[in-house]
Amino acid sequence: MPKRISLSPALEEKLLSAKKVVILSGAGVSSESGISTFRDKDGLWEKFKPEDLATPSAFQRNPQLVWEWYAYRRKKIQSVKPNPAHVAIAKMEKIFPEFLLVTQNIDNLHQKAGSRKLVELHGNINRNKCFTCEKISSDSKSDSKTVPPLCPCGGYLRPDVVWFGELLPEKALEPAQRASIEAELFFSVGTSALVYPAASLPFLAKEAGAFVVEINTGETEISPAVDELLLGKAGEILPVIVKFLKQNRKNKK
Ligand code: BV8
Ligand code: ZN
């Protein structure tokens, strides 16, 4: 029997009054869908070192290995569904007048659950990009004769995700930073808050006056700085928050 989840009076007050809300999500939100996280005990990185795979130099050194690793992850992701955490986040988008989901995840599960007001800080595994001319393509190229598949320009295709040492897309980072500064209520959900610049967003929100809530199964780098730490599974805690909102918030749409 999952333990009873109680929300503090301060958080309940914020949930009822906040107009501008931001949620930063990480791999922990997808873990209940069966997707390994990066740094948990059975995390993806256990088997590989990030430097070995999720960097431009790794791709230049061994494009086949990196492409195969993403093909393996793509296949895994295609076989799983959004979990109650993704569904709850999609519902919260409809409850608050101004809402932005800032995800570090590349698994497309938020979109599958119905989230629309979101930015993808680290790209999306379902999209490909040419390593040479940067042209984006969405077809899986699963029938390609070469591994990785080739762009019409002759360059190798790579997943359209942000690797370590690569800049985040300005069209995602800039709105994420602006919304974090304007937020009255900021949730950090299922992220170890180790990867920058994504991990700077909770601090940006806090310094600008937001009430910052962390939802995680364990403590993280930002736990000492948040206003409320809800320890537990995102798939159990977020539905409790949505239930509270639906029962108590006047202007719910
Ligand atoms: C950049 C896409 C400018 C690819 C990812 C030193 C040298 C070089 C670089 C750096 C350096 N120091 C800092 C940097 C910058 C570097 C960085 O931050 N490194 C870290 C590791 C120190 N950042 C970058 O390189 C970024 N670019 O800064 O450009 C620049 C340029 C050159 C040099 C310097 C700077 C680009 C970062 C983007 C990398 N790409 N992913 C792919 O997916 O293959 S990052 C990867 O980590 C994923 O996107 C993932 O989302 C992200 C963060 O991880 P989390 O999501 O937090 O997942 P994690 O497993 O860590 O945590 C899961 C959490 O969930 C845990 O806390 C767990 O307790 C919790 N949990 C588990 N289950 C549940 C749960 N919580 C709730 N409910 C549950 N059920
Ligand atoms: Zn090309």
Side-chain angles (χ1 to χ4, degrees), residues 153-246:
C153 84
Y156 275 138
L157 290 190
R158 54 164 284 181
D160 183 21
V161 299
V162 180
W163 281 332
F164 288 101
E166 291 189 319
L167 293 172
L168 275 58
E170 261 314 301
K171 66 180 178 354
L173 183 59
E174 202 274 327
Q177 289 167 328
R178 193 163 7 94
S180 298
I181 289 169
E182 290 170 5
E184 294 153 285
L185 184 52
F186 183 104
F187 290 90
S188 174
V189 188
T191 180
S192 57
L194 289 172
V195 172
Y196 281 81
S200 62
L201 296 174
F203 296 106
L204 218 54
K206 175 101 186 124
E207 275 145 38
F211 187 90
V212 178
V213 183
E214 181 176 34
I215 299 174
N216 199 304
T217 43
E219 303 222 356
T220 70
E221 296 282 306
I222 64 165
S223 300
V226 302
D227 296 292
E228 183 124 355
L229 171 57
L230 297 174
L231 279 176
K233 290 185 172 182
E236 291 170 7
I237 293 174
L238 286 168
V240 167
I241 289 176
V242 170
K243 187 163 171 246
F244 172 81
L245 287 165
K246 289 210 177 277

Side-chain angles (χ1 to χ4, degrees), residues 19 22-23 29 39 82 89 98-99 103 114 139 193 199 214 221-223 228 235 239-240 252:
K19 291 186 181 54
V22 169
I23 296 185
V29 169
R39 296 167 189 86
I89 290 172
E98 287 187 45
F99 178 92
T103 189
D139 54 341
E214 181 176 34
E221 296 282 306
I222 64 165
S223 300
E228 183 124 355
V240 167
K252 58 182 181 295

Side-chain angles (χ1 to χ4, degrees), residues 130 132-135 151 153 155:
C130 174
T132 309
C133 73
E134 305 229 322
K135 187 167 170 291
C151 165
C153 84

